[in-house]
């Protein structure tokens, strides 16, 4: 199929950019819609999409990626509740704070905001703020309005918070309570329209997180500039941690609160500890972190057992095969481990962690291309497999394919923004290619995450470096100082 015309149309109308990796998703959406519409040729279907807005919207709904969950990047929500709300209320005590969520997907983000506000301000929350949320995907918006969620939405929320704000409506299914749902308004809207709806104008705070990833750099700039226009002077705009630097284009001021970065419009409100970041151009490369080639499988064991249980709870035979493959890998009997893993994958093709272990073993055997194929296969089964993206980043890095490595580690951060390992490797690669301010920023995030002690998960299980938290923290600090020293010179 020639997907070119569809790509152009989606870019022109919605700003959506389809890289090679996402072409398959677009093509399968087109085929599915063709089949539903009883149309046999893609060219004929394209004509229908051109003329028929409903059909175009249906196609859009199928190609958007709605991945989201409650309390994602909770640091931002804390800044909102603890810092911005008091500041903005202090500046205009009689006005509600107007919050706009752009690209709200199925509603987890706006409801998280209301929940955090209720946690702090109790019943006054809905008097302090109004929350408007929109998304281009009308199916996602309908789901947001319904407010019913399954386990994956709650993966970052403790049960006790969930139980305060949700009612059970089925096994592992919960509905948001009315007092959180009602203050949030939803609508379908397109970020890439020339004009935004009137009600979005003059807002105090915009959340625009994990959306720009679907746009090319020019479209990102255009949309960010348009969103900045909606902000009142003194307002704030959040993008996700991974999107921060690509939006530092001189439209809004990048500011820091409590170690997190966000954008600010104008300078009418003074905050003692707000620090504006200074920009810096690329300089000479300074690589200070020694490469480690060895891959210790030992430390993988415990977590892999856990994963095995998670993915294959009832299948004893698969368990046993996996354990055997693991212990063979630990003994460096890689060929034999691979043989067991192949058997396991043949019998249990959706046993995702078997692919990851296989990829790790292949890396140990210095067969990175095969490891790469296995990781891609793994992603076919589990689209958001953090470990697969981390290993793909690592493989690209050892092959000196820095652009690919950066992209892969960013993908990992897209799945889990607090994955210190991805931040660390981004810091390393940026340092290597001379992007010093990016490198410094990534080391700072890594250091912060390590200090928080949030290091037991997020994909390090399969990663081929030895990890010691104290050492890593020192390493980051050392590199930050060095980078800053070089910048100042
Ligand atoms: C990955 S979700 C992010 C959800 C949420 N902001 C978060 O951070 O968890 C990206 C959302 O952006 C939406 N989106 C993509 N292009 C858009 C556009 N042109 N206008 C409005 N929403 C768009 C998608 O439909 C999708 O629901």
């Amino acid at each position: 199929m020639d997907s070119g015309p569809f790509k152009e149309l989606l870019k022109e109308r919605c700003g959506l950019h389809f890289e090679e990796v996402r072409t398959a998703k677009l093509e399968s959406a087109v085929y599915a819609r063709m089949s539903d519409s009883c149309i046999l040729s893609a060219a004929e279907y394209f004509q229908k999409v051109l003329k028929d807005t409903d059909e175009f919207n249906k196609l859009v709904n199928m190609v958007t990626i709605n991945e989201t969950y409650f309390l994602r990047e909770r640091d931002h929500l804390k800044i909102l509740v603890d810092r911005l709300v008091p500041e903005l209320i202090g500046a205009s005590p009689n006005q509600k704070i107007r919050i706009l969520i752009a690209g709200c997907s199925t509603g987890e983000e706006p409801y998280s905001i209301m929940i955090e506000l209720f946690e702090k301000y109790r019943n006054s929350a809905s008097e302090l703020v109004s929350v408007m949320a929109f998304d281009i995907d009308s199916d996602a918006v309908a789901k947001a309005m319904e407010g019913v969620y399954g386990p994956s939405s709650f993966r970052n929320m403790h049960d006790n918070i969930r139980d305060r704000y949700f009612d059970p409506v089925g096994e592992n299914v919960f509905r948001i309570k009315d007092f959180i749902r009602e203050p949030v308004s939803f609508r379908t809207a397109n970020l890439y329209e020339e004009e935004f709806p009137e009600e979005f104008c003059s807002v105090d705070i915009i959340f625009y997180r994990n959306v720009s990833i679907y746009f090319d750099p020019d479209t990102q700039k255009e949309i960010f500039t348009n969103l900045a226009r909606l902000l009142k002077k003194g307002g704030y705009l959040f993008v996700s941690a991974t999107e921060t630097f690509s939006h530092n284009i001189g439209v809004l001021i990048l500011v820091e609160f409590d170690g997190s970065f966000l954008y600010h419009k104008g300078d009418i409100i003074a905050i003692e500890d707000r620090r504006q970041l200074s920009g810096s151009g690329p300089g000479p490369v300074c690589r200070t972190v020694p490469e480690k080639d060895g891959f210790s499988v030992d430390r993988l064991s415990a977590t892999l057992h856990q994963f095995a249980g998670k993915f294959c709870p009832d299948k004893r035979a698969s368990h046993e095969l996996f354990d055997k493959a693991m212990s063979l890998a630990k003994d460096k009997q890689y060929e034999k481990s691979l043989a067991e893993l192949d058997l396991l994958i043949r019998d249990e093709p959706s046993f995702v962690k078997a692919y990851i272990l296989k990829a790790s073993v292949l890396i140990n055997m210095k067969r990175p291309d095969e490891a790469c194929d296995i990781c891609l296969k793994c992603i076919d089964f589990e689209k958001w497999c953090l470990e697969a993206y981390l290993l793909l980043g690592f493989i690209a890095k050892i092959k000196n394919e820095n652009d690919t490595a950066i992209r892969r580690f960013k993908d990992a951060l897209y799945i889990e923004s607090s994955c210190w390992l991805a931040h660390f490797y981004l810091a390393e690669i940026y340092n290597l290619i001379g992007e010093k301010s990016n490198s410094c920023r990534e080391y700072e995030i890594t250091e912060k995450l390590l200090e928080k002690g949030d290091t037991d998960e997020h994909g390090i299980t399969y990663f081929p470096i030895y990890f010691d938290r104290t050492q890593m923290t020192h390493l980051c600090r050392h590199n930050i100082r060095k980078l800053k020293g070089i910048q100042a010179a």
Side-chain angles (χ1 to χ4, degrees):
M1 176 205 301
D2 177 11
S3 56
F6 292 98
K7 285 184 180 173
E8 273 170 38
L9 190 67
L10 286 160
K11 164 90 199 314
E12 185 191 306
R13 291 195 190 168
C14 318
L16 293 171
H17 172 64
F18 285 85
E19 289 171 330
E20 219 37 54
V21 281
R22 289 185 60 221
T23 301
K25 183 175 169 103
L26 171 61
E27 289 181 357
S28 74
V30 168
Y31 282 128
R33 290 304 312 147
M34 280 167 61
S35 152
D36 276 10
S37 321
C38 301
I39 291 177
L40 293 177
S41 102
E44 191 188 330
Y45 177 66
F46 181 70
Q47 290 308 315
K48 182 174 169 72
V49 168
L50 264 186
K51 290 183 220 131
D52 180 342
T53 311
D54 272 358
E55 186 54 47
F56 177 75
N57 292 340
K58 279 181 188 153
L59 183 64
V60 168
N61 289 359
M62 290 183 75
V63 296
T64 51
I65 293 181
N66 306 119
E67 165 66 5
T68 185
Y69 51 91
F70 289 110
L71 304 183
R72 188 176 198 176
E73 288 187 86
R74 200 171 182 189
D75 289 356
H76 289 169
L77 307 182
K78 290 278 174 218
I79 291 169
L80 167 75
V81 168
D82 295 337
R83 309 292 296 270
L84 305 191
V85 168
E87 176 188 311
L88 293 169
I89 289 291
S92 307
N94 299 321
Q95 281 177 22
K96 267 194 178 186
I97 298 169
R98 287 162 48 76
I99 303 177
L100 180 67
I101 291 99
C104 64
S105 186
T106 39
E108 285 87 335
E109 187 177 26
Y111 290 140
S112 298
I113 288 170
M114 280 315 296
I115 286 170
E116 286 290 1
L117 287 163
F118 264 86
E119 284 285 292
K120 175 133 183 177
Y121 299 105
R122 300 292 159 200
N123 289 337
S124 315
S126 50
E127 287 152 30
L128 291 175
V129 302
S130 71
V131 177
M132 297 171 285
F134 73 95
D135 199 284
I136 197 169
D137 180 341
S138 55
D139 293 338
V141 171
K143 191 159 185 287
M145 290 163 109
E146 201 191 350
V148 176
Y149 299 98
S152 80
S153 297
F154 294 103
R155 59 186 185 253
N156 202 32
M157 184 184 263
H158 284 133
D159 291 358
N160 58 354
I161 301 187
R162 185 197 63 200
D163 295 343
R164 270 207 289 284
Y165 296 100
F166 294 81
D167 294 316
V169 288
E171 200 179 334
N172 286 324
V173 182
F174 298 84
R175 184 196 300 276
I176 191 91
K177 292 191 188 224
D178 287 349
F179 70 94
I180 297 292
R181 189 174 53 80
E182 280 164 1
V184 182
S185 68
F186 289 98
R187 63 176 289 171
T188 305
N190 181 357
L191 268 166
Y192 201 51
E193 292 287 4
E194 301 238 312
E195 300 241 331
F196 286 112
E198 179 94 23
E199 63 186 285
F200 293 172
C201 295
S202 289
V203 290
D204 296 286
I205 296 167
I206 298 176
F207 281 79
Y208 168 52
R209 304 187 303 167
N210 305 298
V211 181
S212 73
I213 185 171
Y214 305 113
F215 307 135
D216 66 21
D218 285 345
T219 310
Q220 284 177 1
K221 277 184 199 151
E222 207 178 316
I223 290 179
F224 187 75
T225 308
N226 289 341
L227 283 174
R229 287 202 192 101
L230 295 179
L231 272 184
K232 281 185 197 161
K233 191 122 199 246
Y236 292 94
L237 187 152
F238 289 90
V239 289
S240 85
T242 52
E243 297 164 311
T244 304
F245 273 94
S246 55
H247 288 101
N248 197 8
I249 51 173
V251 171
L252 294 174
I253 304 165
L254 186 59
V255 292
E256 180 194 342
F257 281 100
D258 308 330
S260 290
F261 297 93
L262 58 149
Y263 284 96
H264 179 53
K265 182 165 180 173
D267 54 1
I268 55 168
I269 300 158
I271 300 173
E272 269 175 22
D273 58 351
R274 181 190 302 158
R275 281 187 282 132
Q276 193 180 328
L277 287 177
S278 56
S280 64
V285 175
C286 169
R287 186 174 171 75
T288 51
V289 185
E291 285 261 350
K292 290 194 172 85
D293 298 321
F295 176 28
S296 156
V297 183
D298 289 18
R299 71 197 170 75
L300 309 185
S301 174
T303 322
L304 286 169
H305 278 280
Q306 203 182 311
F307 279 129
K310 190 164 133 198
F311 283 88
C312 203
D314 302 318
K315 313 234 169 151
R316 220 180 154 70
S318 303
H319 251 298
E320 282 163 11
L321 274 180
F322 187 82
D323 287 350
K324 199 167 165 198
M326 168 52 78
S327 83
L328 287 165
K330 279 169 69 178
D331 291 344
K332 298 192 171 29
Q333 298 191 52
Y334 297 131
E335 289 291 359
K336 287 186 180 164
S337 176
L338 279 188
E340 298 299 331
L341 287 167
D342 284 337
L343 279 181
L344 173 51
I345 288 167
R346 190 201 62 195
D347 295 344
E348 197 69 45
S350 59
F351 197 119
V352 168
K353 297 302 164 188
Y355 292 88
I356 294 293
L357 180 57
K358 182 171 175 181
S360 300
V361 168
L362 285 167
I363 293 176
N364 264 336
M365 297 170 81
K366 308 221 179 314
R367 288 158 61 180
D369 292 332
E370 288 163 77
C372 183
D373 288 345
I374 294 295
C375 289
L376 293 172
K377 216 175 239 173
C378 176
I379 290 168
D380 280 346
F381 281 105
E382 194 183 302
K383 202 161 97 189
W384 307 110
C385 181
L386 176 66
E387 293 85 355
Y389 286 100
L390 284 172
L391 287 180
L392 283 171
F394 184 75
I395 293 164
K397 186 175 179 298
I398 55 180
K399 291 168 78 180
N400 292 322
E401 293 168 357
N402 289 329
D403 287 348
T404 308
I406 287 174
R407 191 156 48 80
R408 292 309 188 181
F409 287 122
K410 281 188 175 174
D411 287 341
L413 288 174
Y414 176 65
I415 295 165
E416 179 50 73
S417 61
S418 56
C419 174
W420 69 270
L421 194 54
H423 282 296
F424 175 77
Y425 268 91
L426 279 176
E428 288 277 273
I429 299 165
Y430 284 136
N431 197 357
L432 192 65
I433 61 177
E435 291 193 20
K436 294 193 175 302
S437 65
N438 281 345
S439 174
C440 202
R441 152 95 180 140
E442 294 297 337
Y443 280 128
E444 280 173 346
I445 297 173
T446 312
E447 184 198 0
K448 201 176 129 211
L449 291 168
L450 287 167
E451 271 172 1
K452 273 193 195 166
D454 192 10
T455 53
D456 294 336
E457 38 192 66
H458 300 168
I460 64 167
T461 316
Y462 298 93
F463 216 76
I465 58 164
Y466 170 71
F467 167 64
D468 174 280
R469 202 170 104 190
T470 316
Q471 262 180 22
M472 289 294 281
T473 308
H474 284 312
L475 190 61
C476 290
R477 283 189 194 139
H478 171 80
N479 288 353
I480 292 164
R481 275 200 305 275
K482 199 153 182 181
L483 282 161
K484 286 191 170 163
I486 287 167
Q487 280 177 352

